[in-house]
Amino acid sequence: MSSDGGEDNAAPRHDEDNLISHQDNLRESIEELWYLKEVSFRPSPDAALRTLKIITQNYNGPCSFIAICNILLLRGQIEIQPPERTSVSYDYLARLLGEYLLTATPGEDTTAALSVMPATRKGMDLNPLFTGTTAFRPAGEGGELKLFEHAGIKLVHGWLADPDSPEYQILSRTQDYDTSVNLIVEADHLTKGRLLASAEVPAEPEAGGSSSSGGSYNTLSRDDRQKVQDAVIIRDFIDKTQSQLTYYGLFTLASAIEPGQLVALFRNSHLSVLYKPHGPDGGLYTLVTDQVFLNEASVVWERFEDVEGGMSSFVDSDFIHSSPAGGDYAGYTAESALAALEAETAGLTLEERGDAELARQLQAEEDERAHQAREARRARERAREELTASQQHVPRSALPADEPAKKAKRKGDCIIM
């Protein structure tokens, strides 16, 4: 009967749905499992050199949450146990951080900070002001900022407008990113969608005349026309500073951060650990937490010295320049990752081993993406080197008689994170 056939078909579909749901949950669990890397750190010149483990992150790792935990680890305010542990989960770190907040701030209301922690799995809603390195507007109930406050971590950014720049006067009125974007959206609506398609500031119409821009701009009030002009300037500033950092902001950070200070840096919609070591160097460094450097012991910090990152270089725990053995992705191989998975899944049941097999498959897919990125980068480097070499060794006789030999130009190496 048709009803019997329907029941028979429903059961396999139900099982398949359960399997898909189970695999999705497992995928989320794997994405929330982060490997630990052993580093050395000396918090002050007279302090002993400490060996500790920091948290590395994969592509989908919650950078804000991991940055907070890594700062507390470097300070020695939390500790991952046992020492032989090779990975941690979100749940483990959340308990560790929650316990720290409760014991470090006795008597204070930590409700807002603790309630926002689950949201850190997907990131944080941070709204920087263009007028100060430590200026952020709270989002929602402000739990994000309370989390940093109770953890005793300074949150900074370098997305600042230079007071001598033409856009500063406008940005000092809108102040923060969200308000500035809202003005752009409002101005785009006033111009019926033409603002974002235009690269020029609409001209102010002369008395008795009309604007050269034409269209709906002519019908706007003076206040609305001013909004449009301000929005274009703000839009151009945001377009020119897509890395969410300016040189004025970088120089301000360099002078504002004290030697030995660990802070959380907001940049590129990403949160990282920023540190200024003691000594005559006076430079700024960000902690390297990318999982692809897991087995590169000499890659611990990255020098933070330009807006786009093209001049960055890696250093070790002693802030001595390091050269990764096999390029940006060296030290993180399918073999090492799968070996770690094998060690952690030993003694599992058949069903659990099936889950582990899926975990290995997901890990292999991530390794393949890293491998493809590495090969593409090496191919570009070889092509650039071959082109440079061919230009440098062209015999003079091969050039036209009226054209002098030209010296080949070589761009500086750019490390792409």
Side-chain angles (χ1 to χ4, degrees):
M1 297 176 60
S2 59
S3 59
D4 292 339
E7 291 177 359
D8 290 341
N9 292 333
R13 282 199 300 270
H14 179 71
D15 292 341
E16 182 178 351
D17 290 342
N18 286 339
L19 177 60
I20 293 174
S21 176
H22 178 67
Q23 291 177 341
D24 288 342
N25 292 335
L26 178 62
R27 184 183 294 271
E28 292 180 2
S29 300
I30 295 300
E31 289 179 351
E32 292 186 347
L33 180 69
W34 307 301
Y35 292 106
L36 301 175
K37 178 178 180 178
E38 187 172 276
V39 301
S40 298
F41 181 66
R42 192 188 306 273
S44 64
D46 56 347
L49 188 67
R50 293 175 48 237
T51 299
L52 68 143
K53 290 184 176 180
I54 61 169
I55 307 154
T56 65
Q57 66 185 86
N58 51 30
Y59 179 77
N60 293 318
C63 59
S64 305
F65 180 73
I66 290 177
I68 290 173
C69 292
N70 275 330
I71 289 177
L72 296 178
L73 286 168
L74 289 167
R75 289 178 178 174
Q77 293 171 321
I78 62 174
E79 188 176 9
I80 294 175
Q81 293 291 344
E84 60 270 17
R85 179 187 285 270
T86 59
S87 64
V88 289
S89 65
Y90 170 84
D91 291 336
Y92 174 88
L93 291 176
R95 287 195 299 270
L96 197 62
L97 179 56
E99 291 172 359
Y100 171 77
L101 293 177
L102 293 173
T103 56
T105 54
E108 295 186 27
D109 185 6
T110 58
T111 304
L114 293 173
S115 63
V116 81
M117 279 178 54
T120 61
R121 292 176 181 233
K122 304 300 180 183
M124 285 187 175
D125 186 7
L126 298 175
N127 183 19
L129 276 68
F130 299 118
T131 53
T133 57
T134 59
F136 290 84
R137 285 246 168 88
E141 299 297 324
E144 287 90 349
L145 301 185
K146 285 294 184 181
L147 181 56
F148 289 95
E149 179 184 330
H150 289 306
I153 296 173
K154 181 182 288 188
L155 177 64
V156 302
H157 72 94
W159 203 2
L160 303 181
D162 189 332
D164 295 329
S165 65
E167 63 263 19
Y168 181 80
Q169 183 178 0
I170 299 169
L171 290 169
S172 63
R173 294 199 301 267
T174 57
Q175 294 191 336
D176 64 88
Y177 173 77
D178 286 352
T179 304
S180 299
V181 170
N182 288 339
L183 178 59
I184 294 175
V185 173
E186 181 183 359
D188 191 54
H189 176 72
L190 290 172
T191 59
K192 301 186 184 303
R194 296 179 180 177
L195 173 67
L196 298 180
S198 173
E200 298 180 357
V201 179
E204 184 71 22
E206 299 178 358
S210 61
S211 169
S212 61
S213 62
S216 61
Y217 183 76
N218 291 335
T219 65
L220 299 178
S221 67
R222 180 172 293 274
D223 287 344
D224 285 344
R225 288 199 298 270
Q226 187 62 54
K227 286 181 180 180
V228 173
Q229 293 181 348
D230 290 351
V232 171
I233 294 175
I234 293 174
R235 179 203 63 186
D236 291 345
F237 171 78
I238 292 176
D239 286 346
K240 290 186 297 185
T241 59
Q242 292 186 16
S243 65
Q244 298 173 349
L245 178 70
T246 65
Y247 277 106
Y248 175 78
L250 179 58
F251 296 146
T252 303
L253 283 173
S255 60
I257 297 177
E258 299 293 330
Q261 191 174 19
L262 288 160
V263 300
L265 172 68
F266 172 82
R267 179 196 178 197
N268 263 335
S269 299
H270 176 82
L271 217 64
S272 57
V273 178
L274 183 65
Y275 179 63
K276 187 175 186 177
H278 292 271
D281 183 335
L284 297 175
Y285 295 84
T286 57
L287 185 68
V288 179
T289 58
D290 196 317
Q291 190 171 288
V292 298
F293 294 102
L294 179 63
N295 294 327
E296 284 283 4
S298 66
V299 177
V300 180
W301 301 93
E302 182 179 10
R303 189 172 175 87
F304 183 49
E305 55 187 340
D306 75 310
V307 170
E308 299 299 336
M311 298 174 61
S312 300
S313 57
F314 295 120
V315 298
D316 61 16
S317 294
D318 295 317
F319 297 93
I320 298 174
H321 180 76
S322 64
S323 298
D328 288 358
Y329 293 90
Y332 181 68
T333 64
E335 290 76 10
S336 61
L338 293 179
L341 281 172
E342 289 287 357
E344 294 189 8
T345 57
L348 300 180
T349 65
L350 289 177
E351 181 179 358
E352 290 170 335
R353 286 186 179 277
D355 293 343
E357 182 62 32
L358 176 58
R360 283 192 288 270
Q361 179 183 344
L362 297 176
Q363 186 65 63
E365 291 173 359
E366 184 172 341
D367 288 325
E368 179 60 25
R369 288 193 294 270
H371 173 73
Q372 292 175 358
R374 180 177 66 247
E375 292 303 314
R377 175 179 172 81
R378 288 177 174 174
R380 289 195 301 270
E381 290 177 346
R382 285 195 299 269
R384 186 178 64 223
E385 291 172 356
E386 291 173 359
L387 176 60
T388 302
S390 64
Q391 291 174 335
Q392 289 176 334
H393 294 91
V394 172
R396 182 174 295 273
S397 59
L399 296 171
D402 58 346
E403 181 179 348
K406 297 179 181 179
K407 184 178 180 181
K409 295 182 180 179
R410 180 183 178 90
K411 294 183 179 179
D413 292 335
C414 177
I415 298 175
I416 301 176
M417 292 295 293

